[in-house]
Amino acid sequence: MASQYQQYSTVRKYWHLMRPHTLTAAVVPVLVGTATAKIFLLGSEDHLNLALLLAMLIACLLIQAATNMFNEYYDFKKGLDDHTSVGIGGAIVRNGMSPKLVMNIAISFYVIAALLGLFIAINSSFWLIPIGLVCMAIGYLYTGGPFPISWTPFGEIFSGIFMGMIIILISFFIQTGNLQSLVVWISLPIVITIGLINMANNIRDRVKDKESGRKTLPILLGKNNSIRFLAFMYIVAYALVIYITFFQPGGSIFFLLALLSFPLPIKAVRRFKKNDTPATMMPAMAATGKTNTFFGLLYALGIYISALLGGI
């Protein structure tokens, strides 16, 4: 019985190390990009390539998980994580995993992702190799290297563009062999919802981050202005869905399914306003993650339904 509990505890440590609550940020862009590709493939002899979809999905999950591990490793090395830290990390400071093991797992995930990327490139375009390498480099440099992106006001932009737009564009390209203006427009709301997950994390950690020398966007704006900015950008994301639906060629009324997630960002903003300690702001941060998940899944579903009912 004790052995079974120990095995369960070990599995749970590795599961927490990947920070599973963040992994939908890798899944959503792949689904949105692939669903948009379906619009342009409808009526042609081509069909969605499920092998490429699966390879892209696994590669993105591995890169996201590895990025989380680099974050875990470097936050520990720089003294940002200790037993008082609040958040979904803690594999090193709370679960007793060695920093070297965390780094080795992250590197192994990157190697597997690179092999999957090579498979994708062979079956689509070798131009994806340098693009993939840049994306992987950004994942590492977010917290690693001499000038970590996470210590600057640009973390939200980098996470939104590279985790949102670039993944959507690649997912679309490997299915269609081209890019269209519609997929760029469709990616913009996801750029925002993913970037705001990052901002929520920085709002929660702004006090400790400031003490460590970071200059994140919430540190520069202050808590109240950061919450206002968060709320404004959510409004922009939903407004973009409405604009794409009615004013972009290829837009569909089914895209508006994403609007059903609107109560979640309202909840996030209200909880941030009400609370001011890292522990009490955790539900607000969780709400931003759920916003991206439900917004993205509903958005992808609406896009896919529109493709099945007629496409372009």
Side-chain angles (χ1 to χ4, degrees):
M1 193 75 174
S3 177
Q4 286 182 337
Y5 176 80
Q6 189 174 14
Q7 280 186 329
Y8 170 74
S9 179
T10 301
V11 170
R12 187 168 58 177
K13 285 181 182 180
Y14 282 97
W15 179 240
H16 285 171
L17 173 63
M18 293 192 295
R19 303 185 182 183
H21 295 94
T22 70
L23 297 182
T24 57
V27 173
V28 162
V30 176
L31 296 181
V32 170
T34 304
T36 309
K38 181 67 176 176
I39 294 176
F40 289 87
L41 292 175
L42 199 70
S44 72
E45 295 181 358
D46 295 322
H47 301 282
L48 289 178
N49 188 317
L50 295 183
L52 290 180
L53 167 60
L54 186 60
M56 185 69 184
L57 192 59
I58 296 173
C60 289
L61 284 168
L62 289 171
I63 291 171
Q64 174 64 38
T67 300
N68 290 337
M69 293 175 201
F70 291 137
N71 193 340
E72 182 92 30
Y73 177 86
Y74 283 106
D75 279 359
F76 172 77
K77 285 293 184 179
K78 293 173 183 178
L80 296 176
D81 278 354
D82 54 36
H83 288 85
T84 66
S85 298
V86 173
I88 54 176
I92 296 173
V93 297
R94 287 195 290 271
N95 293 336
M97 298 184 76
S98 75
K100 184 178 179 181
L101 176 61
V102 171
M103 176 58 81
N104 287 341
I105 295 173
I107 293 172
S108 67
F109 276 19
Y110 257 33
V111 170
I112 298 171
L115 292 174
L116 289 168
L118 183 60
F119 167 78
I120 293 169
I122 290 171
N123 288 277
S124 54
S125 170
F126 282 100
W127 282 107
L128 292 179
I129 293 177
I131 295 171
L133 290 174
V134 169
C135 290
M136 293 173 74
I138 294 297
Y140 173 79
L141 293 173
Y142 186 78
T143 48
F147 304 105
I149 297 167
S150 65
W151 287 59
T152 73
F154 307 113
E156 288 80 1
I157 295 174
F158 274 87
S159 61
I161 290 177
F162 283 92
M163 292 176 61
M165 180 180 287
I166 300 301
I167 293 178
I168 289 175
L169 296 183
I170 293 175
S171 299
F172 179 90
F173 177 82
I174 63 177
Q175 298 293 341
T176 64
N178 60 67
L179 292 175
Q180 302 287 339
S181 60
L182 179 62
V183 71
V184 177
W185 278 103
I186 280 175
S187 72
L188 294 179
I190 302 299
V191 170
I192 293 172
T193 58
I194 288 178
L196 293 182
I197 296 175
N198 186 284
M199 187 166 194
N201 180 75
N202 288 335
I203 292 173
R204 183 199 66 189
D205 295 338
R206 72 194 187 283
V207 175
K208 195 167 185 178
D209 285 348
K210 186 175 182 179
E211 291 172 354
S212 69
R214 280 181 169 174
K215 291 181 173 61
T216 62
L217 189 59
I219 290 173
L220 298 181
L221 294 179
K223 183 192 176 188
N224 291 335
N225 285 334
S226 294
I227 296 172
R228 293 187 187 101
F229 183 81
L230 187 86
F232 173 73
M233 291 309 298
Y234 273 127
I235 292 171
V236 171
Y238 285 93
L240 277 169
V241 173
I242 296 171
Y243 171 78
I244 295 164
T245 296
F246 294 108
F247 299 103
Q248 279 297 308
S252 165
I253 196 74
F254 292 102
F255 292 8
L256 298 180
L257 278 174
L259 302 187
L260 294 175
S261 64
F262 194 68
L264 287 168
I266 294 175
K267 187 180 295 185
V269 170
R270 286 177 175 172
R271 287 177 174 176
F272 269 125
K273 285 182 177 179
K274 183 179 179 181
N275 300 291
D276 197 42
T277 65
T280 57
M281 284 190 286
M282 280 298 295
M285 185 182 166
T288 63
K290 290 177 181 177
T291 297
N292 178 68
T293 300
F294 287 100
F295 178 98
L297 293 178
L298 289 167
Y299 196 32
L301 178 62
I303 295 167
Y304 193 75
I305 291 173
S306 74
L308 293 180
L309 295 181
I312 295 295

